[in-house]
Amino acid sequence: MPGHQPARSRRATERKGDLRERAILDTCEALLAQKGYEAMTVGDIAEGAGIKRGALYFYFGSKQEVVAALVARTVEHLWERSRVTAQADDPRQAVATAMRRTVELWNEHGLVMRTAIDLSLTVPEIGELWSHTADLFINAITAVLERAGVEPGTAPEQASSMARALCWMIERTFYHASQASREELLTASSTCEHIWLISAGLTA
């Protein structure tokens, strides 16, 4: 996870440091909802986490680093919850489970994920995290398509290219739906799931 880790000489306080880092990230997520990324300051984050501004710099060097660490924590949860996409033998089950768990994460952390998308082009660290996460999902979607009988390869009608298009379609659809309501997220999920199943030839 991005950020400055406590020095080895501070092993005795490592647990306390972990709790403080969690408090910093939790505060950052709350402030994104209250103020937004641009208005939020390092001082705001430190105050919300119950520490002095100078103490925050022991963990993170800037507001961008705090947000990057928050994004890293969130995408780790996203991938862990959706890992079954790459593991389930039944493609239909894999698609349904992946979409359900993606809805859960967007409901819980949609603001963080929208912030990651918004900053991915201007903050390299966040851009790399988000791109790496997309690659993991593209690989997982590719595996599902291939298990469903889609030909492997990178041609437009083959699994890898189709998976890439599906991944970015899902991201953009959820991005917009998450700004509306939980009901819109469910509708978006059902639509994306249907398109994924059509692409895999699993609607018959």
Side-chain angles (χ1 to χ4, degrees):
M1 180 177 291
H4 302 294
Q5 299 299 322
R8 291 185 182 276
S9 62
R10 299 180 182 268
R11 286 185 184 276
T13 61
E14 188 170 7
R15 181 176 176 81
K16 185 176 181 181
D18 291 343
L19 292 174
R20 282 184 174 173
E21 183 171 321
R22 189 178 308 122
I24 291 168
L25 298 184
D26 290 345
T27 298
C28 179
E29 185 163 6
L31 286 169
L32 283 174
Q34 295 167 15
K35 293 189 170 187
Y37 175 76
E38 294 299 332
M40 177 179 68
T41 67
V42 169
D44 293 332
I45 299 170
E47 181 180 358
I51 60 176
K52 294 187 180 298
R53 182 188 177 108
L56 185 142
Y57 288 116
F58 182 77
Y59 300 94
F60 301 101
S62 66
K63 178 175 74 173
Q64 284 188 354
E65 282 193 15
V66 179
V67 175
L70 177 60
V71 171
R73 183 177 75 173
T74 302
V75 298
E76 182 179 351
H77 292 165
L78 177 65
W79 176 241
E80 284 299 324
R81 290 198 191 181
S82 301
R83 191 179 295 277
V84 70
T85 304
Q87 297 175 343
D89 292 329
D90 178 11
R92 288 179 184 272
Q93 179 187 351
V95 173
T97 302
M99 297 309 301
R100 184 178 69 252
R101 294 183 175 180
T102 301
V103 168
E104 291 173 359
L105 258 293
W106 277 90
N107 273 327
E108 294 173 17
H109 303 291
L111 183 58
V112 176
M113 293 159 75
R114 291 197 304 272
T115 300
I117 293 168
D118 291 340
L119 296 178
S120 61
L121 294 179
T122 57
V123 181
E125 189 172 11
I126 292 176
E128 290 172 9
L129 279 169
W130 201 248
S131 179
H132 176 63
T133 302
D135 287 341
L136 291 174
F137 275 94
I138 289 166
N139 290 338
I141 295 170
T142 299
V144 173
L145 292 174
E146 290 179 356
R147 286 203 301 275
V150 178
E151 182 182 2
T154 58
E157 73 281 2
Q158 293 176 329
S160 181
S161 293
M162 291 172 65
R164 183 170 296 277
L166 283 167
C167 177
W168 292 116
M169 176 202 71
I170 291 168
E171 183 225 59
R172 186 52 46 176
T173 302
F174 273 72
Y175 177 96
H176 288 292
S178 69
Q179 297 178 74
S181 66
R182 290 176 179 263
E183 290 73 20
E184 285 295 320
L185 268 179
L186 290 173
T187 299
S189 176
S190 295
T191 301
C192 290
E193 181 175 341
H194 181 62
I195 293 171
W196 190 349
L197 290 172
I198 290 174
S199 300
L202 295 172
T203 55

